[in-house]
Amino acid sequence: MLSAAQARQLFAVHRWTGLIAGVFILFLSLTGAGLVFVTEIDRFLSPNLLVSEPGGSMIEPERAVAAVTGAYPDAKVNRIDLPVTDNSVFTAWTQRMKDGDKSFNQVMVDPYTAEVTGIREQSKSFPFILRQLHLRFLKFGWKGRVVVGGFGLVLLLSTLIGLLIYVRFICALSDWWS
């Protein structure tokens, strides 16, 4: 068993690691909640790109791809997202060579007129930024993943120390419940 001095020292470590882990969990909870509603938030922030005026019947996805390749002949369409509501748009995920660098873009196509309504760089879109913020603190790249892993280890340490400190209490629970 732990002495009173050891328990106090471990409790101090537990308190600080818990505080650090708690701030991290709050951050992940807020960005994660934003990711749940990312489509709705993105449509609210960019209605000129992501909202269309319903009218008539929707075009086929192939026609939307043709509209994108017609407007951007140097673009390779990697994927196309279908409209999810009557006033949504087709979103084509494209890759282009721009000044010797690859450029990843989202091209929006009106699902009723096959008109290209806009383009945006994928890395500057709200969903991309929020996801990167959640996964790796935005621009840290692989270092951000290491930081996230470090916070995970702090949380694990806090949990293990908490179990060590409260082992007597946990063992006494069976007597308390009976």
Side-chain angles (χ1 to χ4, degrees), residues 162-163 166-178:
L163 288 173
Y166 296 109
V167 71
R168 283 182 283 193
F169 173 75
I170 293 168
C171 291
L173 281 179
S174 62
D175 295 336
W176 186 66
W177 288 107
S178 57

Side-chain angles (χ1 to χ4, degrees), residues 12-169:
V13 172
H14 175 68
R15 182 176 41 219
W16 283 104
T17 56
L19 180 65
I20 292 167
V23 170
F24 176 68
I25 289 171
L26 176 65
F27 176 80
L28 284 181
S29 298
L30 292 174
T31 56
L35 285 171
V36 170
F37 300 104
V38 72
T39 302
E40 292 81 3
I41 296 169
D42 195 27
R43 284 175 50 101
F44 176 77
L45 294 174
S46 305
N48 57 330
L49 282 177
L50 303 172
V51 178
S52 69
E53 190 65 41
S57 59
M58 284 194 185
I59 63 171
E60 296 294 319
E62 294 81 14
R63 192 163 164 213
V65 171
V68 171
T69 55
Y72 303 99
D74 59 336
K76 175 187 169 204
V77 177
N78 293 329
R79 174 180 112 203
I80 188 157
D81 292 345
L82 304 176
V84 292
T85 63
D86 289 342
N87 66 347
S88 295
V89 296
F90 282 101
T91 303
W93 299 78
T94 65
Q95 176 181 333
R96 297 169 51 188
M97 288 302 287
K98 185 177 176 183
D99 301 327
D101 292 327
K102 285 183 184 176
S103 169
F104 296 95
N105 298 302
Q106 295 172 295
V107 181
M108 287 45 151
V109 179
D110 187 290
Y112 301 101
T113 65
E115 174 188 340
V116 173
T117 58
I119 184 171
R120 70 178 174 187
E121 197 173 321
Q122 179 186 349
S123 64
K124 293 182 180 169
S125 68
F126 175 75
F128 182 85
I129 291 170
L130 186 61
R131 185 172 185 275
Q132 295 307 310
L133 192 61
H134 184 75
L135 285 178
R136 54 178 81 131
F137 293 117
L138 200 59
K139 296 290 185 183
F140 286 166
W142 68 269
K143 294 175 187 173
R145 288 185 187 256
V146 170
V147 170
V148 170
F151 278 122
L153 290 175
V154 168
L155 177 61
L156 179 63
L157 179 66
S158 179
T159 303
L160 293 175
I161 292 173
L163 288 173
L164 188 62
I165 292 171
Y166 296 109
V167 71
R168 283 182 283 193
F169 173 75

